[in-house]
Amino acid sequence: MAANAPPMTATDSLSQAVKANIIHNQEYLLQGSVLDSAVEVLLHRLRGLCDNVDAGPETFDDQEVCFILRDPNQQALPSMLRVRKALDARDMPYQLRYIGQADGEKNRPTVLRSVLDIACSGMLFEFLNELGCRIEYEYSVKGYMFRKGRMKITVAKVFKIPQSSMAPEPISQSYLVELSVLAPTGQDAIGEDMRAFADQLRPLVQLDKIDYKRLSHMAVT
Amino acid sequence: MGVTILQQYPVPENKTGTFVIDLLTKRLLALGATQQGQFLVDCESYLSLPQMGPTKTVHVLHNSEQPASVFSILESGSKNIHVVADSLFDLLMMKLSNIYTSKKQTKMESKGTRLELGDFCVKLGSVTMNQSFKGVLIEVEYRPCVMANAVWGLLREFLQGLLGPSVPVQPPQHFLSRMNEIYTPIDTIYQYLEHFSAFRKSTGLRSAV
């Protein structure tokens, strides 16, 4: 009788999910930016192109803390872990995100990197600190989210975390625009769809692959 | 979800774990309990590399009662820090395997029958470490109440009646500072970890409480 069968171990059910390739662990990503003065036009265009027209775009206001976990043997590249906390919905769980290295394939239309998104509650910051992670930097990000099928488009402003109760100070005079899809391994066709969508926004914002290797050599202030 | 208490049942000499579990199942069925499926709690521990400084242990536990959650407790010196995450947390631990290595030979499991008796839910678990039998753990949950202080007397009476006078029933270590707080699933996990750690340390069957 199924009801009396011993429950499957969590490890077994997870490895089944891995085998069936249903875990969304790959992120296809394009990024760009738009000046503050032009953002209204872009938002208007996105409202016309995206799915959630009736309700209008969803807003978000998140704080993100970026951690790094170094391999003491220095054989592997450091692991990047990011924690996101919604400032406008404080009872929501933390979002812990593991970000792997981008694959670096030149012919691919988008950046492709492995990603794990994990909802967490509890003492996550203390946990990561004790685990050996170090905070690299933190910022808050506030803006709008749109959807187009499986694609997620965010237009958001990045702020420095204020030291006291002052208003957060924007990092630049522009908005960060990201177009991303989380998908299981091997769904490369989505990259083409994203390119096609990015082309429709082309006159307003140029969404592109950002070469992280080049950025990592620049000093972060 | 109510208050849960986890109690070890010492297996008498020249008796098997199966014998003890059969005996307790019969007692519960005679009281009018009904069998409601099976349960499983498991725990795998990961150790940090020696180059990282003082050893830290990450215990990752799963409970079939909360099948979508992964419970993780980081033991660092005398401090315990917990995180409750969704099931992809296990994949994250695999990604960190170059820093935190799994001690597969100490993987613990408690599994067995889940019985319901009125407001109580009783789980009779046979504990194994890496497939070898280590002892018996009994979990009793009183579901209508979430405050340990209000229900501890009732739970003790129930357990004492079920296990007989030879087994002393004490409040678990983890309860002492949390008697007046709202009980959550992580409190059950802390109790399992406490017992699993004691089972790991003991050689052969664990007799005393």
Side-chain angles (χ1 to χ4, degrees), chain A residues 9, chain B residues 6-9 39-46 57-64 71-73 75 80 103 105-112 123-139 172-174 185-206 208-209:
Chain A
T9 65
Chain B
L6 192 63
Q7 170 78 36
Q8 192 218 346
Y9 189 90
F39 83 99
L40 169 71
V41 178
D42 64 44
C43 170
E44 196 167 340
S45 298
Y46 298 80
T57 315
V58 180
H59 304 283
V60 178
L61 294 102
H62 306 93
N63 187 348
S64 56
F71 302 90
S72 176
I73 297 175
E75 205 181 298
N80 280 335
K103 266 181 87 180
Q105 66 277 21
T106 60
K107 186 170 176 165
M108 305 285 303
E109 259 183 10
S110 173
K111 65 175 167 189
K123 294 175 194 164
L124 304 172
S126 105
V127 181
T128 53
M129 180 166 89
N130 203 15
Q131 314 294 338
S132 67
F133 178 75
K134 297 291 276 183
V136 174
L137 278 178
I138 296 144
E139 186 190 316
Q173 196 65 30
H174 177 71
I186 190 77
D187 295 313
T188 308
I189 293 299
Y190 270 111
Q191 292 186 59
Y192 268 102
L193 184 61
E194 212 174 282
H195 281 282
F196 283 161
S197 306
F199 276 119
R200 278 178 181 157
K201 283 180 196 140
S202 64
T203 48
L205 290 185
R206 188 175 152 212
V209 180

Side-chain angles (χ1 to χ4, degrees), chain A residues 53-137:
Chain A
V53 221
D54 302 338
E58 248 179 274
T59 57
F60 66 91
D61 185 1
D62 292 349
Q63 183 173 348
E64 186 159 297
V65 184
C66 303
F67 288 88
I68 201 157
L69 183 60
R70 290 183 200 282
D71 179 0
N73 295 329
Q74 304 202 322
Q75 282 169 348
L77 290 162
S79 302
M80 266 199 279
L81 291 166
R82 296 184 173 190
V83 180
R84 229 173 219 250
K85 175 93 187 133
L87 296 172
D88 51 354
R90 292 196 179 258
D91 51 347
M92 296 300 274
Y94 295 105
Q95 289 290 329
L96 172 64
R97 169 172 266 214
Y98 164 89
I99 301 179
Q101 297 299 319
D103 74 341
E105 169 101 33
K106 283 214 168 57
N107 301 326
R108 200 181 288 286
T110 66
V111 170
L112 175 63
R113 58 189 190 180
S114 67
V115 156
L116 288 175
D117 269 337
I118 307 159
C120 292
S121 57
M123 304 176 266
L124 187 59
F125 285 103
E126 290 95 324
F127 185 91
L128 291 174
N129 259 323
E130 284 296 325
L131 201 68
C133 299
R134 292 292 158 255
I135 294 182
E136 282 244 295
Y137 50 90

Side-chain angles (χ1 to χ4, degrees), chain A residues 2-22:
Chain A
N4 268 335
M8 195 189 266
T9 65
T11 323
D12 287 348
S13 60
L14 191 65
S15 55
Q16 263 190 17
V18 172
K19 267 191 213 137
N21 198 21
I22 54 167

Side-chain angles (χ1 to χ4, degrees), chain B residues 86-116:
Chain B
D86 67 24
S87 49
L88 293 189
F89 191 87
D90 288 319
L91 287 181
L92 176 69
M93 286 315 291
M94 285 182 209
K95 297 273 188 198
L96 303 182
S97 60
N98 57 333
I99 302 173
Y100 282 86
T101 45
S102 163
K103 266 181 87 180
K104 287 264 184 242
Q105 66 277 21
T106 60
K107 186 170 176 165
M108 305 285 303
E109 259 183 10
S110 173
K111 65 175 167 189
T113 320
R114 183 179 181 282
L115 297 119
E116 286 183 9

Side-chain angles (χ1 to χ4, degrees), chain B residues 150-176:
Chain B
V151 75
W152 161 243
L154 186 62
L155 279 170
R156 185 177 53 192
E157 206 177 312
F158 181 86
L159 265 168
Q160 206 70 74
L162 176 67
L163 308 179
S166 59
V167 184
V169 179
Q170 300 290 336
Q173 196 65 30
H174 177 71
F175 262 37
L176 297 176

